[in-house]
Amino acid sequence: MINKWLKLTIISWVFALILLFTFSALAVSEKIPLTISILQERLNTPILSEGVSTIDLRSFVIDLTSENTVFREQFYQLLQERINRSKQPLGLDLTESLIQGDFIASKLGILTPLSQAALPQLFTSGEQEELKQDKRFLSEPGEQITSVRVVRGPLILNRAVFTGKTDFAKTIFLQRVEAIETTFFQQTNWFESRFGRTADFSKALFEQEANFSSSIVFGGAKFRQIRFLGIANFTGSYFQSETSFSRSEFSHFANFTLSQFFKNVDFNQVSWRDRVLFSKSHFYQSLSLVNSTFEKSVAFRTTRFAGIINLQETKILGQMDFSNALFSPDTYLNVASIALDSEQAKILGDTGAIGRVISLPKLEGNETVIRNLIRNFRNLEQIPDANQIEYTKERLRIQQISDRILDISSEKIIKLVLFENIIQWLFLSLLILLSDYGTNFSLVFGVGIIAIAYFGFLFWFIDRWRRQIPNQILPNRYDTIYMISSVISLIIIGITNIFKSSEQAWITIAYLGLLLFPIPLGLVIRLYRRGRYHDLMDSSYLVEDSSMRQLRLLIVRLPVIPEFPFFAIATYRLNGNDAGIG
């Protein structure tokens, strides 16, 4: 029974495929060759498409090969005459047409000098304002005037097939350009083209090089699900609005050097099979590379970032280079679930800079990511960046413990689990606030110098401030001024270092105060309440006898002063240095 159902399923699928290919063949066969007479008829009777008069050349076979020279010349000539005579913008619709031979789209535009004095009266005031936005536009006479081709109406190329080269270079498109599911078998040139509205190339196929260098897209740039089988050249391009290359495939070298993206950029789920260059580019808002795959190197050298860089679930098989990149204060790299999937996989960046911008939303599920990043930077001998990842890990651990404390049940509270979590949380908080988990030398130095100054002053005060009554035994004015000024100077130095190096300076100082003041001050108060033991200023409290001569304090090391004179002589003889002693 199962075999019969399997056979029926296979037969059904085969039959469906046969029908699909049959309908496709019929659809191709329905395309009729475009002739001069048909072209003249379509030029004289444009259709209305989305409110714009449009020349309807859909589903034609347009032969522009060198063997059909007469038709090719008349094709461009008739189109130019009709477009140049029209007072209103005329669109061109080549949907599902087959264009054989080279297609020079620039011949379909109006040749326009970019000068105030030479602008054709044909353009409306709105169109003239758009042209004046071009950086090549000249308002002053006497300079060399640049001429461009201007296409006033929409250009619709959906599901069209271009068998030869296509040339759209140095053309200004004032309306939208649509090339959805369009196939370009040969090189296509959009050099210095300018799109005044949306440019939609979704699901297009570029078999050879696609040159969009120095192009400008003012409207939305939609390059979704595109297959670039040849070189993709976007060098020096400008994208003024939202830009999306999501789920596209770059099979060859992709070059975005010197490009500028003024809005959010979407490169999610993109497959990069060859090298990629974003060097010297500028991202004014976020850059998203979620779930993308880089099979070879990708370079962001000397690139400026002003927004979030999302590398979540990105797979890196080569090198991702952020050398000399400039990050704004709000920029961070989200590397959650990022995968370094080969021995050659590395993340490069400036020492001490790249580690600070790497961020993770949580610790759970990213343990492998953290280990790989630490190993990555240690192998590159970038120890500060490896330490920064360690610091990030412990901050996430504190967050994890905090969530665990908040979610804990009453039964676990009874079992003292809550107490254990709180102790762990406190110790981690202490390490992070006072030393960035041991990775921040400047912070450690600031905290240490404050502690040394404080305890030094405290021990001096205990030793020299003996009593007020019945007769005062106090330090002299010189000692007091010298000691207080020294302590204040050291504390200022320490606080300055804390504010320069700590992310939460006030909390760090408050935490330090909780450690330094309550217990030491309590012990001092208890000492003074019990009373003092001798009045001699030439004898210090800070002495030790032979049973305590190895006394050491953790924060400061005090001088060893023997309480009994004979102790020094005995020690001298025991060390074998008794020559000359009677």
Side-chain angles (χ1 to χ4, degrees), residues 302 338 347 427 537:
T302 324
I338 193 172
I347 296 180
F427 274 107
M537 289 298 290

Side-chain angles (χ1 to χ4, degrees), residues 346-357:
K346 294 181 180 67
I347 296 180
L348 308 178
D350 296 339
T351 302
I354 185 65
R356 291 187 176 275
V357 296

Side-chain angles (χ1 to χ4, degrees), residues 329 331-332 352 355-359 387-389 391-392 395-396 432-437 439-440 442-443 495-509:
T331 297
Y332 64 87
R356 291 187 176 275
V357 296
I358 289 178
S359 174
N387 291 340
Q388 184 65 34
I389 303 301
Y391 167 67
T392 302
R395 287 189 65 99
L396 293 173
I432 287 176
L433 285 173
L434 300 185
S435 66
D436 283 359
Y437 200 66
T439 64
N440 193 331
S442 182
L443 181 58
I495 291 176
T496 303
N497 276 274
I498 290 175
F499 274 96
K500 285 183 178 180
S501 56
S502 177
E503 296 180 2
Q504 299 172 316
W506 287 111
I507 299 177
T508 300
I509 291 174

Side-chain angles (χ1 to χ4, degrees), residues 167 185 248 339:
D167 185 5
F185 280 107
S248 294

Side-chain angles (χ1 to χ4, degrees), residues 13-71:
W13 277 105
V14 171
F15 183 70
L17 290 173
I18 292 172
L19 287 177
L20 179 62
F21 283 116
T22 302
F23 287 138
S24 300
L26 289 173
V28 173
S29 63
E30 288 178 0
K31 291 183 174 64
I32 61 174
L34 181 66
T35 62
I36 296 300
S37 59
I38 297 176
L39 176 61
Q40 289 175 334
E41 177 189 349
R42 296 299 174 96
L43 292 175
N44 294 327
T45 57
I47 63 173
L48 198 63
S49 175
E50 298 186 13
V52 180
S53 295
T54 304
I55 300 170
D56 182 13
L57 297 180
R58 294 176 293 180
S59 300
F60 281 104
V61 177
I62 304 175
D63 188 357
L64 301 178
T65 59
S66 56
E67 292 80 11
N68 201 10
T69 307
V70 175
F71 172 82

Side-chain angles (χ1 to χ4, degrees), residues 129-166:
E129 289 299 322
E130 285 193 43
L131 291 173
K132 290 177 183 178
Q133 294 178 9
D134 196 297
K135 61 182 180 180
R136 297 167 294 182
F137 188 87
L138 299 176
S139 57
E140 299 294 332
E143 298 184 27
Q144 185 177 0
I145 299 175
T146 303
S147 295
V148 296
R149 292 283 180 178
V150 178
V151 177
R152 301 176 65 198
L155 179 63
I156 312 300
L157 308 174
N158 298 335
R159 296 178 296 282
V161 177
F162 294 86
T163 63
K165 297 179 181 179
T166 54

Side-chain angles (χ1 to χ4, degrees), residues 12 21 48 78 162 166 192 206 212 226 234 254 266 305 350 411 420 426 508 514 541 559:
S12 300
F21 283 116
L48 198 63
L78 291 173
F162 294 86
T166 54
E192 287 190 357
F206 295 90
F212 286 86
I226 294 183
F234 287 86
D266 178 5
F305 296 98
D350 296 339
E411 295 180 0
E420 293 176 2
L426 286 173
T508 300
L514 288 175
Y541 279 109

